[in-house]
Amino acid sequence: MKRITQIIGTLLLLMGSVYGQQEKGIIGTDNWLDNWTDFQPKNGDYGEPNQILTGNITKDMRLSKKDVYLLMGNVFVTDSVTLTIEPGTVIIGDFESKASLTIGKGAKIMAEGLETDPIVFTSNRSVKKAGDWGGLIILGDAPTNKFGNGSVASLYANLDPSAYAFTNFGGGNTTGSSGVLKYVRVEYAGKKMRGGFNFDGILLAGVGSGTTIENVMVSYCAGDSFEVIGGSVNIAKAVSYRSNSNDFKFNYGAQSQLNNSLAIRSPYTTSSKKARALHVSSYDKKEEVDFTKSGTSLIAKNLTLLNSSEDLSSHIKLGLIKEAVFVGESASLDMNKSVISGFNPAVILDDKIIINQENLEKIKFVDMYFNNCNGNIFKEYNSNNEDLENWYGNRSFYNVYAKSQNSETFIDMKNSRRPDFRLRINKIIAANNKD
């Protein structure tokens, strides 16, 4: 009887272990990338535009699937106006006029696509490239840690003075809603503007927690795929594919969550600037922020951050692969049940951060899977990471370290039409058994 009890106990333990490991990285009983994502957007044929969007949208408007829209110049959806976009609608950003779409403070976008009928923003060039058009900007009235409120006016070239009011963001409404983005793709955005700025694929500035950002893919962006400035917006099931800059950037006092999301970097598309899969900071310039206000705080759960390099050592020597995660001074990150695979190294902490218990308790890496990285967690400009290895390597954090090729780590990343970036469970168990 005792023997049977032991066997049953062992089986239950193994079953629990398998189930537990399924929780690392992006998760789902089914592959939630199916149907609505597109990892080969250059092959897309969306037809010729038959409607034009330009100037200011000053009354409620509905975009229909039966039409294809050409977005020209800087288009602003003004205060109290709602722009509704039907599932399957295509909006094509004009290259020549540096097209962009801005949802102003107090306005809303209701872009609710379907898994089988996503909404698409893309380029009008015959040969599409990153940075062909501007991008999508959503401005809300939630707090930031800046002095006063913020403005994105510097992004726009030749902006009419009458439009400056539509570029402001920030306020005190943490739960405000700027609408919904669901089953949406943004392709080839990130146009370079004056002053060396790039538009982002999607910029969320001062956006409140009442806004829904879910099942959204940004691909081939010359700027950041997703940038969050302040606010309290949460993001789930987001995909960043082959961004030239950061995949996910949270800054200026953002109080956000990023859940069940994927970033796929390529050594051939990263810009010469420091570009990361995840960048968490509280400021770019200290003089812009009020340090009596909360710094950036991000809870990041079930992320998969991977570099698609098939020759990691060679690409590292060429300087084509950098760190996956950067954490800046005065920012906090709680990252758990996530996968970081194929970076140099996995994590860099700002050199201004003093390495002590108080600061490290604000930067958590728990139940992680660090795979095939050239080092794990370092302080910037410091090659000695013994203190950090001892801290995060403690068994109480349940972190796992392995050296497997990406093709062996993920279920089916080679499938160009229906890739699956969930983990192969047996690989993780094998890595655990080595401890």
Side-chain angles (χ1 to χ4, degrees):
M1 185 69 179
K2 184 178 179 181
R3 176 65 175 166
I4 294 173
T5 303
Q6 287 177 334
I7 292 172
I8 292 173
T10 302
L11 288 172
L12 288 172
L13 181 63
L14 288 172
M15 289 171 66
S17 175
V18 171
Y19 178 78
Q21 298 312 322
Q22 289 174 327
E23 296 180 354
K24 280 189 173 74
I26 60 170
I27 56 172
T29 305
D30 299 314
N31 181 12
W32 55 261
L33 296 172
D34 285 351
N35 299 317
W36 67 278
T37 58
D38 187 352
F39 292 89
Q40 296 181 310
K42 290 183 180 180
N43 298 332
D45 182 8
Y46 301 111
E48 293 295 321
N50 59 358
Q51 299 287 332
I52 293 176
L53 294 175
T54 190
N56 297 340
I57 299 175
T58 58
K59 59 182 181 180
D60 291 352
M61 177 181 285
R62 187 179 190 89
L63 305 187
S64 170
K65 175 183 176 179
K66 67 182 177 63
D67 294 313
V68 177
Y69 297 85
L70 180 65
L71 186 70
M72 296 189 69
N74 300 315
V75 177
F76 293 93
V77 180
T78 61
D79 187 18
S80 302
V81 170
T82 298
L83 175 66
T84 302
I85 306 177
E86 291 183 355
T89 302
V90 175
I91 300 99
I92 297 177
D94 180 51
F95 172 77
E96 293 295 336
S97 64
K98 302 179 176 66
S100 65
L101 176 62
T102 300
I103 311 302
K105 182 176 172 179
K108 286 187 178 182
I109 181 170
M110 302 301 293
E112 295 190 66
L114 300 172
E115 180 181 352
T116 54
D117 212 7
I119 294 164
V120 179
F121 291 82
T122 192
S123 162
N124 70 338
R125 299 187 82 187
S126 56
V127 180
K128 297 174 175 59
K129 295 181 180 179
D132 277 352
W133 63 289
L136 176 58
I137 299 166
I138 302 178
L139 308 177
D141 57 357
T144 74
N145 65 356
K146 289 193 170 204
F147 287 109
N149 292 332
S151 173
V152 292
S154 59
L155 276 177
Y156 309 93
N158 304 316
L159 184 64
D160 189 297
S162 64
Y164 273 77
F166 308 137
T167 68
N168 297 325
F169 64 89
N173 187 8
T174 58
T175 60
S177 174
S178 297
V180 176
L181 293 182
K182 192 168 184 180
Y183 292 113
V184 173
R185 294 204 308 267
V186 177
E187 304 168 350
Y188 303 106
K191 188 76 175 178
K192 184 177 284 295
M193 305 303 289
R194 63 186 179 190
F197 292 107
N198 283 84
F199 276 90
D200 298 319
I202 299 176
L203 171 61
L204 303 161
V207 175
S209 61
T211 308
T212 298
I213 310 292
E214 186 175 320
N215 291 98
V216 178
M217 180 178 192
V218 178
S219 56
Y220 292 99
C221 184
D224 299 334
S225 289
F226 296 83
E227 181 173 8
V228 178
I229 297 177
S232 50
V233 67
N234 300 319
I235 300 173
K237 292 185 177 179
V239 180
S240 173
Y241 183 61
R242 295 204 168 202
S243 172
N244 286 12
S245 192
N246 299 295
D247 294 286
F248 300 101
K249 183 176 181 179
F250 294 81
N251 203 358
Y252 288 109
Q255 308 291 305
S256 296
Q257 295 182 28
L258 177 63
N259 294 316
N260 202 10
S261 294
L262 171 68
I264 303 170
R265 300 199 64 78
S266 166
Y268 302 111
T269 56
T270 299
S271 70
S272 58
K273 299 177 183 178
K274 291 183 178 180
R276 291 100 176 191
L278 178 62
H279 180 117
V280 184
S281 57
S282 286
Y283 59 84
D284 288 336
K285 298 177 182 177
K286 274 190 172 183
E287 60 270 22
E288 295 179 328
V289 301
D290 180 353
F291 285 95
T292 66
K293 297 179 180 179
S294 298
T296 297
S297 176
L298 176 68
I299 298 173
K301 184 176 181 180
N302 289 115
L303 306 190
T304 294
L305 313 177
L306 72 96
N307 194 297
S308 63
S309 170
E310 294 184 353
D311 189 353
L312 193 65
S313 60
S314 175
H315 287 148
I316 288 173
K317 289 178 183 177
L318 292 171
L320 300 177
I321 297 176
K322 306 296 184 184
E323 64 271 15
V325 177
F326 175 85
V327 184
E329 183 188 31
S330 303
S332 78
L333 171 64
D334 181 353
M335 190 170 186
N336 60 88
K337 295 185 183 299
S338 295
V339 176
I340 301 177
S341 185
F343 288 90
N344 177 40
V347 179
I348 288 286
L349 306 184
D350 194 332
D351 70 321
K352 301 180 188 67
I353 296 174
I354 298 170
I355 303 302
N356 57 31
Q357 182 170 340
E358 180 183 1
N359 286 332
L360 291 183
E361 285 178 349
K362 298 175 184 176
I363 305 170
K364 299 176 182 176
F365 295 97
V366 179
D367 209 7
M368 298 285 295
Y369 183 59
F370 296 101
N371 178 61
N372 206 20
C373 291
N374 184 35
N376 298 308
I377 304 174
F378 288 81
K379 185 174 177 179
E380 196 173 22
Y381 312 124
N382 192 339
S383 59
N384 184 353
N385 70 334
E386 184 176 349
D387 289 347
L388 294 173
E389 287 291 315
N390 289 337
W391 177 270
Y392 293 109
N394 189 296
R395 286 182 178 271
S396 63
F397 289 115
Y398 303 105
N399 293 324
V400 175
Y401 304 87
K403 288 288 183 183
S404 295
Q405 296 299 314
N406 282 334
S407 58
E408 300 171 346
T409 302
F410 303 100
I411 290 176
D412 190 5
M413 63 175 290
K414 296 291 187 179
N415 189 325
S416 59
R417 293 188 67 246
R418 298 169 68 90
D420 191 339
F421 294 96
R422 291 174 297 171
L423 286 179
R424 291 181 185 270
I425 305 307
N426 60 322
K427 281 290 177 183
I428 314 307
I429 294 172
N432 267 347
N433 289 340
K434 293 175 183 177
D435 292 341

